Amino acid sequence: MIKGAIHSTESFGSVDGPGIRYIIFLRGCYMRCRYCHNPDTWEMKQENLRTADELLDEAERYRSYWGKRGGITVSGGEPLLQIDFLIDLFTKAKARGIHTTLDTCGQPFKRTEAFLEKFDALLKVTDLVMLDVKHIRSEAHKSLTGHTNEAILDCGRYLSEQGVPLWIRHVLVSSLNDSDELLHELAQYIGTLRTVEKIEVLPYHALGVHKWEVLGLPYTLKDEMPPSAERVANAETILRSQWQR
């Protein structure tokens, strides 16, 4: 029996996919984003192990609130690190008629036969993928997250090739990626994807700093201020400029 390493769940998520969502946060992530608000999910601890049926039974207690658009969203951490569990969870969710959304940074993606066999099986039972693109330039992405972005950008291209509905998410950080030049580069990439249904610009916030402090981790963006409403609106305009709706 497959069990997932679960960090936590949220019963009434309203910003992680369409409608009201039951959100499952999985453990494990290779990236070390400097502004991560869930650093406590990074380590793949084998605790709070739960089966797909246990989670779905709990999720369905709230089904009356979902309406026609809601369902479950799996986030993290990085959910693709537990892809076998994801396949089991989403397969059983679809059997129950539940809408499935995957919230991923795409970093584990690779075009190997072994990975794509499982990834394709997952996509067959995935209704929507929310792909978080943190920086369009590879070396800057590595400085921000500890990893380059080639796999992430290729994941987006593959999802588009497979006809998978996509939401693109981009966290706007004034000192790191809020320049018109960078935003236009990201817009050009988004313009190559044919299945993008929504583009979200998420302004940087420091709400997760206390978690870093509890874990004894140095937080390097303490002096960073959230971008202004004008800069967020500017980023939204630019990123949508080449959007193929």
Side-chain angles (χ1 to χ4, degrees), residues 32-204:
R32 295 294 181 263
C33 301
R34 291 170 61 190
Y35 52 71
C36 180
H37 59 275
N38 287 323
D40 47 336
T41 67
W42 288 349
E43 298 302 323
M44 182 66 80
K45 297 179 180 179
Q46 295 300 304
E47 56 187 46
N48 194 18
L49 299 178
R50 303 179 67 180
T51 67
D53 285 318
E54 287 172 341
L55 288 164
L56 293 172
D57 286 346
E58 182 175 309
E60 289 207 271
R61 297 177 193 171
Y62 307 96
R63 190 163 187 163
S64 60
Y65 299 99
W66 296 349
K68 294 181 179 180
R69 302 179 68 236
I72 65 169
T73 296
V74 178
S75 186
E78 173 45 59
L80 290 179
L81 296 183
Q82 298 192 53
I83 193 168
D84 292 327
F85 174 71
L86 265 183
I87 294 169
D88 187 48
L89 176 66
F90 277 13
T91 298
K92 291 176 177 177
K94 296 311 299 176
R96 298 187 188 208
I98 297 174
H99 184 280
T100 56
T101 293
L102 170 64
D103 181 12
T104 178
C105 73
Q107 190 274 333
F109 178 81
K110 48 191 172 183
R111 294 194 187 229
T112 63
E113 183 177 356
F115 182 84
L116 289 182
E117 180 179 1
K118 292 186 177 182
F119 196 53
D120 288 345
L122 175 62
L123 295 183
K124 288 179 181 178
V125 286
T126 301
D127 293 307
L128 172 69
V129 174
M130 297 192 299
L131 182 65
D132 189 359
V133 182
K134 302 175 188 298
H135 204 294
I136 190 60
R137 293 183 181 173
S138 188
E139 285 307 308
H141 190 282
K142 185 174 182 178
S143 177
L144 172 60
T145 71
H147 291 265
T148 59
N149 67 2
E150 285 83 3
I152 295 164
L153 299 183
D154 197 32
C155 182
R157 286 187 286 266
Y158 187 81
L159 291 167
S160 177
E161 292 165 9
Q162 301 304 308
V164 178
L166 272 171
W167 286 12
I168 299 296
R169 292 179 138 186
H170 184 60
V171 177
L172 191 68
V173 187
S174 299
S175 65
L176 299 177
N177 57 19
D178 183 13
S179 78
D180 287 4
E181 181 180 5
L182 291 172
L183 292 167
H184 279 294
E185 288 181 26
L186 180 53
Q188 291 175 359
Y189 167 72
I190 294 173
T192 67
L193 308 177
R194 61 182 181 84
T195 59
V196 175
E197 296 184 345
K198 188 174 184 178
I199 299 170
E200 294 184 314
V201 176
L202 309 176
Y204 164 83

